[in-house]
Amino acid sequence: MNSNLHANEPDVSSLDVGELYILYKKYAFSIAYRMLGSVVEAEDIVQDCFAGIQSTSAQDIRNPKSYIARLVVNRSLNLLNSARNQRESYVGEWLPEPMGDSEEANMPEETMEKKS
């Protein structure tokens, strides 16, 4: 029964970090962004996780997707609990940073001009 749970997972022993990065970058970023609300911090966490995987033996990882998810969650929690993050307090309603291709594309004035 356990062998069917991970039927879609690739064989980790044949993958290098670059291939894992291509497969799971978006997944890892989505977790980090939901936890942190910042594109820059989420990208930093993802890069840090995949850099850390390079020093890990492929035989030590049974399920790469869950391993990467756990790395991202742990590092995101560490960042959220860090002294630096606790010193920076925002007064007001907190909203996540918008994700867009460029800042101009998200400006209301630009949107209105495009509709005209």
Side-chain angles (χ1 to χ4, degrees), residues 2-112:
N2 283 342
S3 61
N4 292 337
L5 283 176
H6 307 294
N8 294 336
E9 294 295 322
D11 181 22
V12 184
S13 61
S14 64
L15 295 178
D16 65 347
V17 176
E19 292 169 326
L20 286 174
Y21 182 77
I22 291 168
L23 282 171
Y24 297 114
K25 176 187 173 196
K26 289 180 182 179
Y27 175 69
F29 177 82
S30 68
I31 295 170
Y33 179 73
R34 283 187 209 128
M35 290 185 72
L36 301 170
S38 168
V39 173
V40 173
E41 288 179 344
E43 288 174 346
D44 288 346
I45 292 291
V46 170
Q47 292 293 325
D48 191 35
C49 287
F50 282 99
I53 290 175
Q54 287 181 330
S55 63
T56 304
S57 171
Q59 288 75 23
D60 294 339
I61 303 172
R62 285 190 236 156
N63 183 340
K65 187 174 182 179
S66 62
Y67 182 78
I68 291 167
R70 177 49 52 195
L71 283 176
V72 170
V73 167
N74 286 346
R75 290 174 195 228
S76 295
L77 289 173
N78 288 345
L79 180 63
L80 289 171
N81 292 325
S82 72
R84 177 187 63 91
N85 199 31
Q86 290 178 359
R87 279 192 305 264
E88 299 171 3
S89 61
Y90 178 74
V91 178
E93 185 177 345
W94 180 84
L95 297 171
E97 180 180 304
M99 291 178 41
D101 293 337
S102 70
E103 287 190 30
E104 289 180 7
N106 292 330
M107 300 300 290
E109 299 83 10
E110 298 292 325
T111 306
M112 291 305 293

